[in-house]
Amino acid sequence: MNVDPAVPLACEPANQNAGTALQDPEQGALSADEYALFASVARVRRVYAGETLFHRGDLGTTMYVIAKGAIELDFGEDLIAKSLGPCEFFGELGLLIGDHARSADARAIDDGELLELRHEEFQRLVEIDPTLVSYFLRRAIMRVVFNEQSLIRRLRRRNQDLQSALDSLRATTQQLSRTEALVRRDELTGLYNRRGLLQHLRERHRNGATSGLGLLLIDCDQFKRINDEHGHLIGDRVLQGVANILRSVAGTNDIACRLGGDEFCLLVKAETREEVMRYAEFVIHTSHGLLQMPQLPPLICPMSIGACLVCAEGEWNDWYARADTALYRAKRQGGNRVEWQDNAPIPA
């Protein structure tokens, strides 16, 4: 790791309004998680009061994060200079589109330290945590677009160059959207994967929307035999068939997920046991109906389901353990059935 021990590994708000910085496209402060990630690969550069990092018009591909001290960005002409402090970043446009002419003079206001990130360091960030980097890039792009649109309105003569930069950024945004979808989706079935499900749950927790939910934990019966007798391509087709059933029953606010292998789950909007069981029975009855059709090789397989209501004060591991207890009971009783687990404490 390239970080000097003296460089802080967490961002402390510079003022009382710092907590809202990420919501304002003009601001550029890293979150604590982002700062720690960037600091783990960045190069440390010491700067001294009055030192110029670059001039307006210089070509550059390096992005900077302020670890200590402050930097002034002077945009010249009739634009207001901007002062940046710890955990704020600048120069990201050069990193994103390469050899971009700097739009301001950057000068150190006092002695400090910067984190430098070039293309090779940024690629390491993507490899370490693509989801966090994609969120950072989306926010950074929004900030750049906001600033560049303001410049277009005030400096019409730069319109052509800035429009080219915006076109590049739009293409990057589209690529990021596709990348983010791949990170959160299971490639075989198109359902959410475990990472996508946990991200969705984190968003629900932030919004206080974890009440009134039911969980179905679904496991394919005899799936290993299908793979052994018919091969993995047929096994994949069976998994896609299970995914199609879950997708068909999932409502707008429900989440269908492939947790891994032949294990799936369905997080549904429900207030009562009866509501949750209606989902489970639909899945079982649909698979039963498909199994009655002539199948060689098989298109679907029997399923066992463990069902429960979700406790708003609990976490995913608590909910999973409860549903898994019911699923294990369904398996033990021969499979191809639904078992319910109440919210009473689960025996150790």
Side-chain angles (χ1 to χ4, degrees):
M1 188 166 72
N2 297 313
V3 181
D4 188 283
V7 178
L9 291 180
C11 284
E12 296 294 335
N15 55 62
Q16 293 182 348
N17 297 322
T20 63
L22 302 186
Q23 306 301 323
D24 185 349
E26 291 188 277
Q27 300 299 317
L30 297 181
S31 68
D33 287 344
E34 288 170 344
Y35 185 89
L37 176 63
F38 281 43
S40 69
V41 302
R43 298 170 180 270
V44 177
R45 172 174 175 176
R46 288 183 171 83
V47 293
Y48 302 94
E51 179 181 350
T52 298
L53 295 169
F54 52 74
H55 292 285
R56 186 155 44 102
D58 289 350
L59 297 180
T61 59
T62 302
M63 171 185 160
Y64 301 90
V65 180
I66 301 173
K68 295 180 181 178
I71 298 293
E72 180 185 72
L73 299 180
D74 182 1
F75 298 92
E77 301 188 25
D78 61 340
L79 300 178
I80 300 173
K82 182 184 295 185
S83 295
L84 306 179
C87 302
E88 293 189 278
F89 60 90
F90 60 98
E92 70 278 7
L93 189 56
L95 181 64
L96 293 178
I97 66 176
D99 281 333
H100 179 73
R102 303 294 194 185
S103 57
D105 294 340
R107 182 181 62 85
I109 298 175
D110 47 31
D111 295 352
E113 291 176 332
L114 305 177
L115 307 181
E116 287 187 342
L117 292 107
R118 299 173 303 182
H119 182 73
E120 52 266 37
E121 284 88 20
F122 195 79
Q123 289 303 309
R124 290 177 60 195
L125 293 180
V126 174
E127 293 170 2
I128 295 171
D129 194 335
T131 300
L132 189 60
V133 173
S134 71
Y135 292 152
F136 162 76
L137 284 177
R138 186 177 298 279
R139 191 176 76 252
I141 288 171
M142 288 176 60
R143 184 177 77 133
V144 172
V145 171
F146 181 91
N147 291 336
E148 296 298 87
Q149 287 176 337
S150 297
L151 287 172
I152 287 173
R153 290 193 297 268
R154 300 170 71 176
L155 304 173
R156 293 294 182 182
R157 61 188 176 83
R158 294 177 58 195
N159 183 69
Q160 184 175 0
D161 291 341
L162 293 173
Q163 192 61 52
S164 297
L166 287 173
D167 290 342
S168 298
L169 290 170
R170 290 191 188 99
T172 303
T173 302
Q174 292 173 358
Q175 182 61 42
L176 285 171
S177 297
R178 289 191 290 269
T179 301
E180 183 178 339
L182 289 175
V183 167
R184 299 180 63 166
R185 294 281 178 177
D186 175 58
E187 185 176 1
L188 176 65
T189 64
L191 301 182
Y192 273 94
N193 56 24
R194 186 181 293 268
R195 181 197 296 266
L197 173 67
L198 295 179
Q199 177 62 36
H200 174 80
L201 291 174
R202 283 193 290 269
E203 292 169 1
R204 279 183 177 268
H205 272 294
R206 283 196 295 268
N207 297 328
T210 54
S211 60
L213 298 175
L215 176 63
L216 307 182
L217 194 59
I218 301 122
D219 192 77
C220 297
D221 297 332
Q222 305 167 9
F223 184 71
K224 182 178 184 303
R225 190 170 71 182
I226 293 175
N227 274 337
D228 292 343
E229 293 182 2
H230 301 283
H232 290 282
L233 288 178
I234 298 302
D236 286 349
R237 189 170 70 174
V238 169
L239 294 177
Q240 290 168 339
V242 174
N244 288 336
I245 294 175
L246 300 183
R247 191 180 290 111
S248 69
V249 72
T252 304
N253 297 317
D254 303 331
I255 294 296
C257 171
R258 182 188 178 200
L259 295 173
D262 61 339
E263 187 178 39
F264 296 79
C265 78
L266 188 62
L267 192 68
V268 298
K269 190 69 176 174
E271 298 285 349
T272 65
R273 168 178 175 166
E274 289 70 23
E275 290 180 275
V276 179
M277 290 299 286
R278 278 199 293 270
Y279 283 94
E281 289 163 2
F282 176 89
V283 173
I284 290 291
H285 291 160
T286 302
S287 67
H288 285 173
L290 292 173
L291 287 167
Q292 299 305 312
M293 301 170 58
Q295 298 184 30
L296 195 63
L299 302 173
I300 199 68
C301 66
M303 287 175 265
S304 296
I305 300 178
C308 68
L309 283 171
V310 165
C311 297
E313 64 274 11
E315 300 291 340
W316 163 251
N317 288 339
D318 303 322
W319 309 339
Y320 180 90
R322 199 174 305 283
D324 191 51
T325 298
L327 176 61
Y328 179 76
R329 194 163 58 246
K331 285 284 193 180
R332 192 172 53 195
Q333 296 179 24
N336 197 21
R337 59 187 294 122
V338 181
E339 285 293 317
W340 176 263
Q341 181 66 36
D342 288 323
N343 288 336
I346 299 172

